[in-house]
Amino acid sequence: MARVVVDVMLKPEILDPQGQAVQRALPRLGFEGIADVRQGKRFELEVAGPVDDAALARIHEMAETFLANTVIEDFVVKVES
């Protein structure tokens, strides 16, 4: 079985209140020097069978229609070895 990862992040122009909350908390916890934090989602898909172009196209379609809100989020599909 192969693993395909879909990383979903808010588009840069969309405010990220959770990321901002983490960024503000870091100095209080002793972690200095972090200028910005963006929070996202990671989906790990175990694929039965080969991960060929057709399987990747189907996963891309899944990400575009179900895993990500493409109005406010970008996503990247990649195969992990």
Side-chain angles (χ1 to χ4, degrees), residues 2-66:
R3 175 177 291 174
V4 177
V5 174
V6 180
D7 287 316
V8 181
M9 294 292 294
L10 287 170
K11 292 182 177 184
E13 62 272 15
I14 302 298
L15 293 178
D16 183 358
Q18 289 177 307
Q20 290 173 345
V22 170
Q23 192 273 328
R24 286 190 305 269
L26 290 174
R28 292 192 306 266
L29 298 171
F31 299 102
E32 300 293 335
I34 304 300
D36 193 26
V37 176
R38 303 285 290 174
Q39 187 221 317
K41 300 179 280 190
R42 176 182 169 102
F43 297 93
E44 295 182 358
L45 309 170
E46 295 291 332
V47 179
V51 180
D52 55 12
D53 289 341
L56 283 175
R58 187 76 176 140
I59 292 168
H60 189 276
E61 179 186 3
M62 178 193 325
E64 192 169 44
T65 59
F66 182 66

